[in-house]
Amino acid sequence: MSDQPGSSSVAVLKYGLVTLINFILTILIVLSITTITGDLISGLIAIIGFPILRYVTGGLHLKSAILCNLVTSFFMLLSVYLYIDYWYNGFILTLISMLILFIFAPSGIKRSNLGRQYYPLLKISAVLIVGTNLLFQSHVLALVFFIQALTTASFSINFVKKLNL
């Protein structure tokens, strides 16, 4: 317990506010660049797909909020501008993403109040979310989902820890 009444509430509110500001900054970066280049729809697909999957799967965390904003924006923009043909490459990435999430998700959500008994439901939800791209057939979603799936994998988490990011 803290000496100050309500201090845990302040910490929770502060964390929530910082998270919201970081999310808004990432969205602004992606939308600004994709609007300028005429790729707004692809940018919207990336900023909707990535956080929805991340919410369910968790994933690695970087030490710096600024670095997190830049890396997340970079990966969303990479997904928009790195064109791959959906049939074959995107399809394969979608299947690989489903497999990675089936093995590793959820990951890095230890601070959540959600009990471990719900983790199988999160895993199934993650695989189903990625599976929707089998219907949408979006190269942007294939890349966004693949990148997010990699953030749940232990080898990615260990690599980032070794880099001390």
Side-chain angles (χ1 to χ4, degrees):
M1 283 278 170
S2 174
D3 293 341
Q4 300 174 355
S7 65
S8 65
S9 300
V10 171
V12 169
L13 287 174
K14 181 180 176 185
Y15 178 78
L17 186 59
V18 167
T19 301
L20 180 63
I21 290 170
N22 287 331
F23 182 63
I24 290 170
L25 286 173
T26 301
I27 287 173
L28 288 174
I29 291 168
V30 172
L31 288 182
S32 296
I33 293 172
T34 57
T35 299
I36 290 168
T37 62
D39 294 301
L40 180 61
I41 299 299
S42 294
L44 288 170
I45 290 169
I47 64 171
I48 291 169
F50 188 87
I52 287 173
L53 186 59
R54 179 143 180 103
Y55 181 77
V56 174
T57 62
L60 65 88
H61 297 276
L62 302 177
K63 291 181 181 180
S64 162
I66 299 291
L67 183 59
C68 183
N69 289 340
L70 294 174
V71 168
T72 301
S73 297
F74 172 77
F75 282 133
M76 284 190 198
L77 290 168
L78 181 69
S79 298
V80 169
Y81 295 111
L82 178 65
Y83 181 79
I84 60 168
D85 184 47
Y86 175 79
W87 280 105
Y88 189 68
N89 295 324
F91 179 76
I92 297 298
L93 283 180
T94 299
L95 294 178
I96 291 170
S97 300
M98 293 170 73
L99 179 63
I100 291 170
L101 292 170
F102 184 76
I103 295 168
F104 294 107
S107 171
I109 58 172
K110 293 174 181 74
R111 288 183 237 157
S112 171
N113 290 331
L114 196 60
R116 291 188 69 78
Q117 70 270 22
Y118 295 106
Y119 283 17
L121 184 59
L122 292 175
K123 181 183 296 287
I124 291 167
S125 298
V127 171
L128 290 174
I129 288 168
V130 174
T132 63
N133 198 37
L134 297 172
L135 299 173
F136 296 132
Q137 301 175 4
S138 165
H139 81 278
V140 174
L141 285 178
L143 287 165
V144 163
F145 288 162
F146 178 69
I147 291 166
Q148 174 52 32
L150 288 177
T151 72
T152 66
S154 56
F155 56 83
S156 296
I157 294 168
N158 292 335
F159 179 72
V160 169
K161 282 182 183 177
K162 284 182 183 179
L163 293 177
N164 199 24
L165 298 175

